[in-house]
Amino acid sequence: MQNLRELFENNRAWAAKIIEQDPAFFQKLAKIQRPDYLWIGCSDSRVPANQITGLQPGEVFVHRNVANVVVHTDLNCLSVIQYAVDVLNVKHIIVCGHYGCGGVKSALQGDRLGLIDNWLRHVEDIRDKHWPLLSRLKTQRQQWDNLCELNVIEQVMHVCRTSVIRDAWSRGQNITVHGWIYGVNDGLLKNLHVSFEDEKDIDMRYRDAVEKLSITVAR
Ligand code: CO
């Protein structure tokens, strides 16, 4: 039986290296976690939150699922958001998509892959909502990239519209929701400039963000 010995060896070497730099590192972390960030990203193995942002264990609370989708009735994602906001008191929620997302591509093409189709239906809804914009793009690659970006913008809105965030904002809690996208080709993060720190003009600012994408498309 394959026992994945290599992974345990890697782990021991990693823990030893951390202790060498800071002998009390794990003791300190074991007592409390106080991350400033909640990361909502794709499960894609090429987009590990800690590594691409240079954050250490204890610094980012993470939720990942296929195509970084925030569904209003997903108890798992909602619980992560509620715990992050109400208990951990994170200052920033980052929804991070990525170019080359297989889930988004399947949604764009309407692929039949099995159970996952039901989950990706949420991304197909976004495709259909923005089809007037997407259909103006000449290549499927452009449509794919654009849908990856639109998906981030829509999921940012979903986070902002959860009862958890609306309640936090109405209490005056300092929390900002951001939309970023990561390039698996170059390893770089791009800010999509859809950041919300309150509900003020939220619909107008959402439309501006989508409009900005349409302008890029028109070029
Ligand atoms: Co993905």
Side-chain angles (χ1 to χ4, degrees):
M1 198 184 86
Q2 170 67 267
N3 60 12
L4 307 180
R5 194 155 44 113
E6 194 188 322
L7 301 191
F8 285 95
E9 281 167 10
N10 289 348
N11 165 253
R12 278 193 297 273
W14 171 78
K17 205 175 119 207
I18 299 244
I19 288 169
E20 196 185 295
Q21 287 160 359
D22 178 1
F25 184 84
F26 292 110
Q27 283 141 6
K28 283 187 279 182
L29 263 192
K31 283 196 206 110
I32 195 164
Q33 64 158 339
R34 241 190 227 119
D36 282 335
Y37 315 100
L38 163 62
W39 175 277
I40 300 175
C42 184
S43 299
D44 193 302
S45 62
R46 297 165 296 179
V47 197
N50 285 75
Q51 274 144 298
I52 65 180
T53 53
L55 292 172
Q56 295 302 310
E59 293 185 324
V60 59
F61 199 58
V62 174
H63 178 77
R64 291 167 70 181
N65 62 41
V66 175
N68 42 274
V69 177
V70 177
V71 180
H72 297 305
T73 51
D74 176 6
L75 196 57
N76 183 354
C77 183
L78 290 177
S79 301
V80 169
I81 295 174
Q82 193 251 324
Y83 190 81
V85 171
D86 294 349
V87 182
L88 297 176
N89 241 303
V90 298
K91 303 283 178 283
H92 303 275
I93 297 180
I94 298 151
V95 176
C96 187
H98 67 103
Y99 295 115
C101 183
V104 171
K105 190 180 192 186
S106 298
L108 180 64
Q109 300 178 153
D111 290 345
R112 296 298 307 274
L113 301 172
L115 179 69
I116 185 77
D117 300 348
N118 301 287
W119 180 252
L120 293 176
R121 186 67 236 175
H122 295 292
V123 184
E124 290 189 27
D125 288 343
I126 295 169
R127 173 201 67 191
D128 296 344
K129 179 177 175 184
H130 295 285
W131 190 246
L133 166 64
L134 292 168
S135 61
R136 282 157 53 202
L137 291 162
K138 288 182 193 75
T139 68
Q140 202 211 28
R141 179 76 218 192
Q142 291 171 313
Q143 289 183 339
W144 186 12
D145 288 349
N146 221 270
L147 187 53
C148 288
E149 294 175 353
L150 285 166
N151 184 43
V152 171
I153 295 173
E154 293 292 338
Q155 305 312 332
V156 164
M157 296 311 291
H158 290 173
V159 173
C160 294
R161 284 170 177 150
T162 57
S163 55
V164 177
I165 299 300
R166 297 180 73 184
D167 289 348
W169 281 340
S170 67
R171 289 193 299 267
Q173 195 169 330
N174 169 22
I175 183 156
T176 310
V177 184
H178 309 265
W180 295 356
I181 192 156
Y182 174 76
V184 287
N185 293 326
D186 58 10
L188 296 177
L189 284 167
K190 185 165 103 182
N191 190 347
L192 290 176
H193 300 289
V194 272
S195 295
F196 297 96
E197 58 290 305
D198 52 44
E199 281 194 281
K200 197 166 165 277
D201 302 327
I202 195 164
D203 293 310
M204 198 185 75
R205 287 158 64 204
Y206 157 77
R207 282 195 299 272
D208 283 352
V210 174
E211 181 62 26
K212 224 174 74 194
L213 276 190
S214 333
I215 293 165
T216 321
V217 168
R219 278 202 197 111

